[in-house]
Amino acid sequence: MIGRLRGAVAEVGEEEALIDVMGVGYVVRCGSRTLQRLPALGEEALLHIESQWSESAGLRLYGFGTREDRKAFVLLQAIQGVGPKAAMAVLDVLSPAELASAVAREDKAAVGRASGVGPKLALRIVTELKDKPITDGPVLMTAPSTPSAPAKPAPTGDAVAALMGLGVAEVNARRVVEAAAAKLGDEATVQALIKAGLQELGR
């Protein structure tokens, strides 16, 4: 199984990236945190990969920026009811360190902010991850006041970059993203801006 990929960023979508490794393109499913931190198109990226196989979907590659992200992803999926999508959603709102802190505080509300994770599943995650080594460092007991901070400084810029990764010309990407930002307001997420931009472009 593939455990790591180093190659050029060829494309970036809403939920996946195409990494060109010596002429071979690998489709890697990534969370929004990882996608936002990828280098520009054509530049080299290093992703830690969790390979999974199923008869229905075949081989799927899940990519992470750090070993701890990958480790947390594996731990989350060991919990009943947590599949790849839910595990990715948790890591989109909580870094491994923030997840470890939430588990230590038994803060199911923090985990429940993840898309598709209800109160019962959040409680199960907090309960079953108790005493599990989510991170390699010490667990900080402080609450994560801004779990999505990496995405906040320039959501429009990230959305424009993502659309350009999908082949949209920069001038058109900026036009539709700025229109979406004006409509959705200051609290609009990167994903919401990308979705609105794609709808405006008829994709």
Side-chain angles (χ1 to χ4, degrees):
M1 289 293 186
I2 298 171
R4 189 176 70 174
L5 284 178
R6 184 192 297 274
V9 179
E11 296 178 15
V12 178
E14 288 189 60
E15 298 180 346
E16 61 192 28
L18 181 66
I19 307 299
D20 187 327
V21 182
M22 299 180 67
V24 179
Y26 292 87
V27 176
V28 184
R29 299 180 71 85
C30 304
S32 61
R33 279 177 180 256
T34 302
L35 290 173
Q36 290 160 17
R37 293 172 180 175
L38 286 176
L41 293 180
E43 294 186 5
E44 185 178 80
L46 173 64
L47 289 175
H48 298 273
I49 303 296
E50 175 64 19
S51 301
Q52 295 188 358
W53 169 269
S54 69
E55 291 187 4
S56 59
L59 178 64
R60 280 193 172 181
L61 306 179
Y62 296 89
F64 307 92
T66 68
R67 290 186 181 88
E68 283 194 339
D69 284 327
R70 178 188 174 189
K71 179 180 180 180
F73 178 74
V74 173
L75 285 173
L76 283 164
Q77 284 192 90
I79 300 170
Q80 182 181 0
V82 180
K85 187 173 183 179
M88 283 285 196
V90 171
L91 293 174
D92 275 345
V93 299
L94 296 172
S95 69
E98 291 168 343
L99 176 59
S101 177
V103 169
R105 299 191 317 272
E106 300 184 354
D107 187 356
K108 65 179 183 180
V111 178
R113 285 199 295 266
S115 176
V117 177
K120 289 184 179 179
L121 185 55
L123 176 60
R124 186 181 303 152
I125 289 172
V126 168
T127 301
E128 295 196 22
L129 287 184
K130 196 78 171 175
D131 301 323
K132 294 285 181 64
I134 301 172
T135 66
D136 297 329
V139 176
L140 301 177
M141 296 297 291
T142 55
S145 57
T146 55
S148 297
K152 289 294 184 183
T156 54
D158 289 335
V160 169
L163 290 177
M164 290 173 63
L166 294 173
V168 180
E170 182 176 1
V171 62
N172 292 331
R174 291 192 181 281
R175 174 178 58 81
V176 296
V177 168
E178 288 173 2
K183 182 185 298 183
L184 298 175
D186 294 338
E187 297 302 314
T189 64
V190 174
Q191 294 299 323
L193 291 172
I194 293 172
K195 183 177 180 181
L198 289 171
Q199 290 175 343
E200 179 69 20
L201 291 166
R203 294 196 178 189

